[in-house]
């Protein structure tokens, strides 16, 4: 306000059911709507009124899904946001994959490769064109288990006779129940652990 004396009286209608007689008032707006704020200044016989609107925009509603929930290292997972912007439009997506890697972008689909054994907690923060943002965290939504490693040894590597037997020792390792398929290179196969 300009032109007012030190005796001026300020009356604020803050539009949210509150009022103030301070020179500079403050308010908190909790609902997503348009508020009309009115300042009335009385200085002796003069009165001046100023009205202004305050718009509280809606925050985004965040949700996302992932195409895999469990797999062996390295695990490539595709995350898809089904978020809505609230007010305006979605201006950015910020992903935190729970493994020290974050990614910011403009696409609702994000791929990530997990390279460490863990149960990953993933979060997504969506920001709309008005700068409003919301975050959703999903705990332990992807389980990354150790990789599968096929390995074996043979008790003989040089044979003197064509029909001489060879014992193979399977030293493969990995999570879960393993099954085996051996191909001996001569048209014969086996599903035994140590043929």
């Amino acid at each position: 306000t300009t032109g007012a004396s030190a005796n001026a009286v300020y009356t604020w209608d803050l539009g949210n059911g509150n009022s103030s007689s301070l020179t500079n008032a403050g308010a908190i707006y909790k609902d997503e709507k348009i508020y009309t704020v009115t300042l009335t200044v009385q200085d002796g016989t003069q009165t001046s009124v100023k009205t202004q609107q305050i718009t509280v925009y809606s925050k985004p509603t965040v949700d996302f899904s992932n195409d895999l929930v469990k797999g062996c290292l390295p695990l490539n997972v595709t995350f898809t946001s089904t978020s809505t912007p609230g007010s305006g439009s979605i201006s950015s997506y910020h992903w935190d994959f729970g493994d020290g890697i974050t990614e910011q972008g403009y696409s609702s689909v994000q791929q990530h490769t997990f390279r460490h054994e863990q149960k990953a907690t993933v979060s997504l923060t969506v920001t709309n064109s008005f700068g409003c943002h919301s975050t959703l965290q999903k705990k332990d939504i992807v389980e990354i288990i150790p990789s599968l490693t096929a390995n074996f040894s043979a008790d003989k590597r040089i044979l003197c006779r064509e029909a001489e037997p060879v014992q193979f020792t399977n030293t493969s390792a990995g999570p879960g129940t393993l099954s085996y398929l051996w191909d001996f290179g001569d048209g014969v196969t086996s599903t035994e652990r140590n043929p």
Side-chain angles (χ1 to χ4, degrees):
T1 301
T2 58
S5 72
N7 296 324
V9 176
Y10 300 90
T11 305
W12 293 88
D13 176 350
L14 299 169
N16 62 355
N18 295 322
S19 59
S20 176
S21 58
L22 297 172
T23 304
N24 298 306
I28 296 174
Y29 298 95
K30 294 183 177 181
D31 296 321
E32 298 162 344
K33 64 180 190 177
I34 297 174
Y35 295 88
T36 300
V37 178
T38 304
L39 170 61
T40 303
V41 181
Q42 281 189 300
D43 191 6
T45 59
Q46 294 185 6
T47 300
S48 180
V49 178
K50 168 73 176 184
T51 300
Q52 188 170 326
Q53 290 188 330
I54 303 292
T55 302
V56 179
Y57 294 110
S58 300
K59 295 192 296 187
T61 301
V62 182
D63 200 7
F64 63 91
S65 61
N66 42 301
D67 65 339
L68 297 173
V69 295
K70 187 174 185 177
C72 295
L73 282 173
L75 182 63
N76 189 26
V77 180
T78 300
F79 294 92
T80 303
S81 171
T82 54
S83 304
T84 56
S87 297
S89 59
I90 293 177
S91 62
S92 71
Y93 300 88
H94 184 269
W95 297 90
D96 184 336
F97 300 107
D99 60 356
I101 305 293
T102 61
E103 191 76 38
Q104 176 121 6
Y106 305 103
S107 174
S108 61
V109 178
Q110 182 68 50
Q111 288 191 337
H112 180 68
T113 301
F114 291 93
R115 301 191 184 281
H116 305 286
E117 182 181 347
Q118 70 180 98
K119 284 188 178 178
T121 296
V122 177
S123 67
L124 171 62
T125 300
V126 176
T127 303
N128 68 21
S129 54
F130 293 108
C132 304
H133 56 87
S134 294
T135 301
L136 174 66
Q137 182 183 72
K138 293 188 176 183
K139 186 169 176 55
D140 299 337
I141 64 165
V142 180
E143 184 177 0
I144 300 91
I145 54 180
S147 59
L148 180 63
T149 304
N151 201 9
F152 67 92
S153 62
D155 69 340
K156 298 177 194 134
R157 296 187 64 177
I158 299 174
L159 303 176
C160 293
R161 289 177 291 149
E162 193 174 305
E164 193 173 343
V166 177
Q167 176 66 49
F168 294 97
T169 302
N170 187 342
T171 57
S172 300
T177 303
L178 302 180
S179 59
Y180 309 97
L181 177 59
W182 293 84
D183 182 344
F184 300 110
D186 60 358
V188 178
T189 62
S190 174
T191 56
E192 293 178 34
R193 179 182 172 96
N194 297 300

